[in-house]
């Protein structure tokens, strides 16, 4: 089936919002260092742009998880494919995610990271689909709340495609 992409959030709007979040994080963490934990692969584009807008000292680490299930539905069972390289004990950890959908991935990751005793733990997501929430999870910084539509771009994929789009788009199928 052929598909096309409808622009939902323009490149300009995404960039402007990331600047704002970066400024807010810089104010909130004034006098501290922030340890950004990126959830691969989707969070990677957001992480890079966000990190450039943060003015307090930043360190980075990466984690990769897979949720068992189909392309567009997560099952709630999260498997760690690549763990963090560094311990997070005593650090101000900020998890950087592409999107919160059911909330299952983040609530699992949050519990797992809290067990490792960070000094603080917050969550930053570029996108949030509140209508899809199954598990409650507190998000500290959100780029945009979006409707329940499957989106791509800025790191988000459909069958591994479209991650490199510089805007957020909705996948529409032609019939
Ligand atoms: P959750 O555990 O249901 O919150 O799933 C979050 C993960 O599902 C995200 O990190 C994405 O990898 C993926 N996901 C959820 N919604 C979308 C979407 O609209 N487009 C692309 N990936 C999505
Ligand atoms: Mg993700």
């Amino acid at each position: 089936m052929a598909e096309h992409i409808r622009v939902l959030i323009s490149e300009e709007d995404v960039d402007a919002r990331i600047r704002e979040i970066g400024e807010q994080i810089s104010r909130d963490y004034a006098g501290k260092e922030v340890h950004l934990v990126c959830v691969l692969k989707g969070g990677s584009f957001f992480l890079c742009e966000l990190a450039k807008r943060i003015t307090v000292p930043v360190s980075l680490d990466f984690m990769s998880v897979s949720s068992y299930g189909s392309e567009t539905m997560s099952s709630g069972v999260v498997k760690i494919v690549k763990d963090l390289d560094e311990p997070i004990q005593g650090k101000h950890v900020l998890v950087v995610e592409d999107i919160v959908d059911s909330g299952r991935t983040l609530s699992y990751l949050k519990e797992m990271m809290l067990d490792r005793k960070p000094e603080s733990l917050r969550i930053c997501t570029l996108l949030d689909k509140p209508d899809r929430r199954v598990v409650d999870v507190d998000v500290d910084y959100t780029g945009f709340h979006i409707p329940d539509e499957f989106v791509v771009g800025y790191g988000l994929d459909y069958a591994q495609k479209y991650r490199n789009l510089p805007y957020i788009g909705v996948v529409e199928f032609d019939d």
Side-chain angles (χ1 to χ4, degrees):
M1 201 173 5
E3 75 242 10
H4 68 272
I5 309 299
R6 169 170 54 85
V7 178
L8 183 68
I9 307 168
S10 71
E11 181 173 0
E12 292 71 25
D13 288 352
V14 177
D15 290 348
R17 184 69 186 122
I18 293 176
R19 272 177 198 270
E20 284 177 3
I21 299 174
E23 285 165 12
Q24 192 185 341
I25 289 170
S26 304
R27 283 195 297 274
D28 293 353
Y29 287 86
K32 297 173 185 157
E33 293 183 18
V34 60
H35 188 62
L36 301 180
V37 166
C38 173
V39 184
L40 294 169
K41 302 169 185 157
S44 58
F45 288 67
F46 180 38
L47 171 91
C48 294
E49 294 308 307
L50 181 66
K52 289 193 286 185
R53 306 301 168 204
I54 297 176
T55 52
V56 298
V58 161
S59 53
L60 308 175
D61 206 347
F62 298 86
M63 169 173 267
S64 182
V65 300
S66 72
S67 64
Y68 296 101
S70 64
E71 277 301 325
T72 54
M73 281 280 287
S74 88
S75 63
V77 185
V78 178
K79 184 179 137 201
I80 296 185
V81 178
K82 182 214 168 296
D83 205 341
L84 298 172
D85 292 337
E86 312 276 339
I88 55 170
Q89 187 169 6
K91 295 180 183 168
H92 292 289
V93 174
L94 180 60
V95 179
V96 179
E97 254 284 28
D98 49 1
I99 188 165
V100 189
D101 187 33
S102 71
R104 288 182 172 120
T105 307
L106 268 183
S107 71
Y108 177 89
L109 285 183
K110 203 169 175 178
E111 287 309 309
M112 190 211 77
M113 287 191 208
L114 283 173
D115 282 347
R116 300 183 187 185
K117 309 266 179 278
E119 179 68 26
S120 68
L121 181 67
R122 286 186 182 172
I123 290 175
C124 179
T125 185
L126 180 59
L127 304 173
D128 188 349
K129 286 194 235 178
D131 296 346
R132 298 260 307 167
R133 198 73 88 253
V134 175
V135 181
D136 225 14
V137 53
D138 286 336
V139 178
D140 302 279
Y141 304 96
T142 303
F144 301 91
H145 290 101
I146 60 166
D148 179 10
E149 292 184 290
F150 197 81
V151 290
V152 293
Y154 235 92
L156 291 146
D157 73 302
Y158 170 64
Q160 298 303 326
K161 284 192 293 185
Y162 306 120
R163 290 191 197 276
N164 58 315
L165 295 179
Y167 54 85
I168 304 293
V170 176
V171 185
E172 293 186 335
F173 296 95
D174 313 318
D175 44 25

